[in-house]
Every structure is written in structure tokens, then in C-alpha cells.
Amino acid sequence: MYAELRDTAGELAGILWREHTVYRERGGGVVIRGEHVRRWISLAPTGGKDRALLRAGRILDGGTTAPARTEVVVDLTAGTAELAAVCRGLLADVAATDESALGVGRGERAGKREKPGRKARAPRPGRPRKERHTSAASCFVLLCVAAVLGAWLYGLFLFGGPGY
């Protein structure tokens, strides 16, 4: 099974990335590592014939690999083009997960570069933050609770307590 995985991984690596490293992992699978795109793909045996677990993840600073973000079981009898399409889908999922974790879409893009010749904008000054205070409604509720408690205590002492 390892020889089949190794051959398949070599073909996939050539299709997906120009620069890649293919190596064996401890569990008997094969890893394709694309340093220039900071992503990795792993093919591992599943126990079934002609099936493999395909996982994708990212490469962290320093060269260590992050845990897999997405995984799927694939049929190795499918053509290399179909497997490459599945790999691209998994890599897109990894990229989307990374963008959402970085906050892309909330005003800032990861790795955004200024256009040449364009002056950088100064950040907009935000409204000064106010200190939190108890709202008027909360104060009214607290006063009502205190009034009810005071009335109960006043009645308790005025009429001598419960008449058991």
C-alpha cells in the first residue's frame, strides 16, 4: 500500500505545486509539503483496499505543521486529475479557515499591500470609550426592590412580626 501511496503522492505533488517535498510519515502514509504556499497534504491508508485518507493543513512559522484542518476518504482508483481536484478543494477549505481565523472580511485583509504611488491612509480616530455606568432602568429596578424590602421590614417591626 505504501508504494501505491508514494506513487500517487508523487503524481499529485507534480500537479499541485512546482516546489514540493514528498516524504513518509510515521503512520505509514505519505506527506506532500509545499513550503512556498505554507500548506501540506497527507495520504494515509484507511484499511480498505484502494482507499486513502486525504488530509490537508498548513505549515506554521518555523516549519512545524499544524493539525489537519480538513480530511476526506478518497478512492485511489480515480484518476490523478480527480484526486488533484479533491486536494485543491481541501486546500481551499484550509485557506478559508485561515482567513476566517485572521479576521479577513471584517475590514482588513491578511497580507494586503498598498498600490504603488498611493499614499497610505491614517487610521480613523474612533469614538472615545465611555466608562460603564449603571443605566437608569437598572437604578429604578434597584430602588423598587429596596422600597419593597423596606416596606416589608417596616410592617414586620410595626405590627410585631408574624402572629404564630
Side-chain angles (χ1 to χ4, degrees):
M1 183 72 174
Y2 172 72
E4 184 180 1
L5 286 177
R6 176 85 178 174
D7 294 340
T8 304
E11 292 173 12
L12 280 174
I15 291 174
L16 294 173
W17 299 312
R18 281 175 284 160
E19 302 170 26
H20 58 270
T21 306
V22 179
Y23 62 90
R24 185 177 181 177
E25 64 181 345
R26 282 181 255 171
V30 180
V31 176
I32 308 167
R33 197 173 162 109
E35 293 287 341
H36 63 293
V37 291
R38 303 183 59 84
R39 302 283 183 265
W40 60 267
I41 295 175
S42 168
L43 287 162
T46 60
K49 186 174 182 175
D50 294 330
R51 298 183 68 76
L53 177 65
L54 186 65
R55 299 182 303 147
R58 60 189 183 104
I59 299 173
L60 303 173
D61 293 335
T64 60
T65 56
R69 298 284 181 131
T70 57
E71 58 184 39
V72 67
V73 175
V74 293
D75 188 11
L76 294 177
T77 58
T80 308
E82 289 84 10
L83 291 175
V86 172
C87 289
R88 286 187 185 108
L90 290 177
L91 292 169
D93 289 345
V94 169
T97 305
D98 289 345
E99 287 177 357
S100 66
L102 292 174
V104 174
R106 289 185 280 167
E108 294 186 12
R109 285 205 163 272
K112 183 178 178 182
R113 295 184 182 158
E114 294 294 324
K115 292 183 180 178
R118 184 173 254 195
K119 194 168 99 175
R121 294 172 82 184
R124 285 179 38 181
R127 280 182 21 187
R129 296 189 74 180
K130 295 181 181 179
E131 292 183 28
R132 291 189 175 202
H133 295 287
T134 308
S135 69
S138 297
C139 289
F140 178 73
V141 169
L142 288 173
L143 286 173
C144 288
V145 169
V148 168
L149 183 63
W152 178 73
L153 287 173
Y154 178 74
L156 185 70
F157 288 114
L158 184 67
F159 298 111
Y164 297 104

